Structures are given as structure tokens and as C-alpha cells.
Amino acid sequence: MNQSNWWNDDAVASPPAANRAPWADDATIVKSSNQRVGVAHAGLPPGFGSRDAVGPAEVAVGERPGWLARTGSNAGVTGMVAGLLAGALGVGIFLAVDRSFSLTRDHRILVLCISVPILVGLFVASWAEVANRSWAAAARRGLFAIAAGVGGSLLGLLGATAIYETFFDKENSVLGAVVLAAAFGLIAALSGAAIGFTMSPRQALLGALGGFAGGGVGGLLIAVLSGHEVPLSGHVEQLPIIEVALPIPIATLLIGGSIGLLSQVTRSAWITIQEGPMAGREIILDKPKNTIGSASGCDVVLRDPDVGRKHAVINLTGPQPSLVVIDKQARSQVNRTDVAGAELSPHDLVLLGNTYFRVFVR
């Protein structure tokens, strides 16, 4: 659904003047029971809200975004959904491998430290692209994140092993729980930092914080559920499934959710897409200069056939953000005026191809 503050599903009203788009002075809001609210306006640019041209008497409408697209509209939701899926699949893989090969405790920990980062890296790093159906960008980011996540996890395992062997005491339940929390927190923190680094340097710090929080909680749960005995030990048929089936998904949900929520809270610049194939999406700008286009290598990938492969750059290095157009053949406008570049305020409506968005900085 369009994210503008002045319309919703339950009312039909004209937008307050302060929140109206620059081109909407004479606009009227039109509601349909099964389609997104649209704007009818004699001066509306062709293609607003639809792939078809919009004439003087026509109304711009569009289909509601599907559930997959909705999960990519908020970084916190994106992280939690991706983390939960990664954890659930990780548990399934772990149990299948354990039942097939009767793993020892050390091998169980190794399988967890490889399979879970693979899935967390794949899902958390690329879920926004998956939600946007940008498959090439999702694959590229996911593969980098998998390699980084596994490397960070194995490095963390070395440190965690030293902590565990030095301090773990199954006779002291409190100390044992703290040691397990620290050990799993270290593994997850290094894995999360490595996965975050494939997205941006800022995400590396968020990944470390989220990983330590999620891994620490997972370690505490494993300690409690294992009865403070040596965790993940015993014969394969005696290993309580609950010992991994509950803590791992909770830990990965917290890892993904922490990364996403921290990204949302600490963001300094972002765009909100008002209309187009990705309407309702919010995309965080992590770099001083962010390329935007339809190519998978762009920092902001727009799923819009009318957007150039490398359409423009959003520059955040000046006193206020600016747009620099690279593809001069593709349609580029600010407030209905063709531009090759422009400084932007939150009230400016940018059009690239058939996608309208605003840029926000704080």
C-alpha cells in the first residue's frame, strides 16, 4: 500500500496541504475496494501508479504488493523473517545430518557453525533483494555473505572453544550458562560482523551487535535445556531435539531482527518509494554516494523496466542530498521537471523511469 501519511484503506479524503505532492494541487483521492488508493489529476505524468499511460480523466491505480514484497518494506521485519527462516532450516539440516551420520559433540558444533551461518548469510543479507525479486542481486550478495559468514563463524569457533575449555563447569550452572552464552555469542558476533560487512561497513558493527545478542540468548537456552550438562553431547538417539530446535531459530531470529532493527534505528539516509513496481518499499542508503538503477550491481536496485541499468547517483556528501543522472536517455525528473542533476529536499518527488520516490536525511 502506498505509504503516504494522508491516505488509508478506510477513508476517502483530500490530503492535507503540507503533505501533498508538488504536482497534486488539484488532486482528488480515489478509493477502490481491491486496489491501492490512487490519484486522479489532469497534469499527472504518464505512468504514475501504472504501467499504462494515464489520461486527463483516468485514475492511477495499482495492485497491492504481495506478502513477499511486504516483508522487504521494513528492515526490522526483513531481518526477523530472514533470521527465523534461516534458523528453522538450519535446525532441519542439523538434525538430518546428525541422524544420518551419528555425529559426535564436536562434529555437531561444527555442523551448526557451518550450516547456520550459510543460511543466515543467504537469507539475512539477500532477503530485501528476494522480496524485490532482484534474483541476480540476491544471488551475488548471498554468495558473498555465505563465504563471509562461514569464515567468521569458524574463526569465532576457535575463540569459543578456548573459552569453553577454560571456563565451562557443568557443576556450576550459573558459570556454565554464562560461558555458553559468551561462546555462542562470540561465534555469532564474528559471523554477523562478516555477513554485515558484505552489505556495508556500518552493517558490520550492527551484525556484530546483533550476532552477540542472538548467539548469547541461544547459548543461554542451550545451557538451560541441556540441564547444564555438556551441551550437544550423548548418543544421537539421546540428543533432545528441543535442545537445538528451540534455541537456534530464536537466536537467528534475534540476530536478523537485531541487524534489521538497528539498521532502521541508526539509519542516516533512506528513500521511500511512493509509486511504481516497488511502491511502499523503504531502502536505506549506506554509502556517501549510492548508485541507483536496475542492474544488480547498483547500491539501490529498482525493479522497473524503464529505469536505466545504472541510472543515477544519490550523493550524500554535501550539505543536502543531490541527484546526479548518469543515463541521460532514461526518464529522470524532479517535481515533474526533466533534470540532469538536482539538490533534493524531503518534499521533492523524484521520478526515475516509472518509479517515484523521496530522499530523506537526518
Side-chain angles (χ1 to χ4, degrees):
M1 184 178 211
N2 194 300
Q3 299 297 298
S4 299
N5 294 329
W6 41 265
W7 65 42
N8 57 53
D9 272 341
D10 302 317
V12 178
S14 295
N19 289 330
R20 296 167 80 175
W23 36 263
D25 291 339
D26 301 315
T28 55
I29 307 307
V30 182
K31 178 184 166 105
S32 171
S33 61
N34 60 359
Q35 290 182 301
R36 191 167 60 245
V37 175
V39 179
H41 186 273
L44 199 63
F48 182 82
S50 166
R51 297 285 180 92
D52 304 320
V54 179
E58 294 178 280
V59 178
V61 296
E63 296 179 355
R64 291 180 183 273
W67 71 270
L68 188 64
R70 289 177 187 273
T71 65
S73 64
N74 178 278
V77 174
T78 298
M80 286 188 287
V81 170
L84 185 60
L85 286 175
L89 284 175
V91 168
I93 292 173
F94 170 80
L95 293 176
V97 172
D98 190 34
R99 295 303 192 261
S100 300
F101 298 99
S102 298
L103 301 177
T104 65
R105 181 184 69 87
D106 290 342
H107 287 153
R108 285 170 178 161
I109 293 175
L110 187 61
V111 168
L112 280 177
C113 288
I114 292 176
S115 62
V116 173
I118 285 176
L119 293 164
V120 171
L122 180 63
F123 282 90
V124 173
S126 62
W127 190 260
E129 282 75 22
V130 170
N132 184 29
R133 298 187 182 92
S134 300
W135 307 117
R140 179 178 59 85
R141 176 166 285 183
L143 288 174
F144 279 122
I146 286 172
V150 171
S153 178
L154 294 178
L155 183 62
L157 179 59
L158 295 176
T161 300
I163 293 173
Y164 179 84
E165 292 180 348
T166 303
F167 298 104
F168 184 78
D169 182 1
K170 67 178 183 179
E171 303 300 329
N172 187 330
S173 59
V174 175
L175 178 61
V178 170
V179 169
L180 279 180
F184 280 97
L186 177 61
I187 294 171
L190 290 181
S191 181
I195 291 170
F197 190 75
T198 66
M199 302 158 71
S200 74
R202 184 174 71 96
Q203 291 287 76
L205 176 60
L206 301 182
L209 294 174
F212 189 78
V217 170
L220 284 174
L221 286 172
I222 288 176
V224 171
L225 294 172
S226 63
H228 308 298
E229 298 294 330
V230 177
L232 303 179
S233 60
H235 189 271
V236 61
E237 299 300 334
Q238 298 173 339
L239 177 68
I241 292 179
I242 193 68
E243 191 176 321
V244 292
L246 182 63
I248 300 303
I250 289 177
T252 53
L253 181 147
L254 289 172
I255 291 170
S258 297
I259 292 173
L261 290 172
L262 287 170
S263 298
Q264 194 85 9
V265 170
T266 63
R267 63 185 179 174
S268 58
W270 66 97
I271 69 171
T272 58
I273 299 178
Q274 308 293 314
E275 275 293 341
M278 296 169 59
R281 285 288 307 278
E282 183 178 280
I283 301 174
I284 296 172
L285 304 175
D286 277 318
K287 299 179 179 179
K289 295 183 179 180
N290 300 267
T291 56
I292 182 168
S294 59
S296 62
C298 291
D299 299 312
V300 177
V301 179
L302 297 179
R303 185 171 52 86
D304 181 344
D306 295 311
V307 168
R309 287 184 56 77
K310 191 173 182 181
H311 196 126
V313 173
I314 299 176
N315 189 345
L316 303 175
T317 59
Q320 64 186 84
S322 62
L323 178 76
V324 179
V325 176
I326 299 173
D327 188 346
K328 301 297 194 297
Q329 304 302 313
R331 182 163 62 167
S332 308
Q333 295 181 351
V334 175
N335 301 334
R336 292 200 300 149
T337 300
D338 292 332
V339 297
E343 291 188 333
L344 303 174
S345 75
H347 300 290
D348 291 327
L349 190 69
V350 180
L351 168 66
L352 299 184
N354 256 346
T355 298
Y356 287 82
F357 63 89
R358 288 187 171 91
V359 179
F360 295 89
V361 175
R362 67 179 177 191

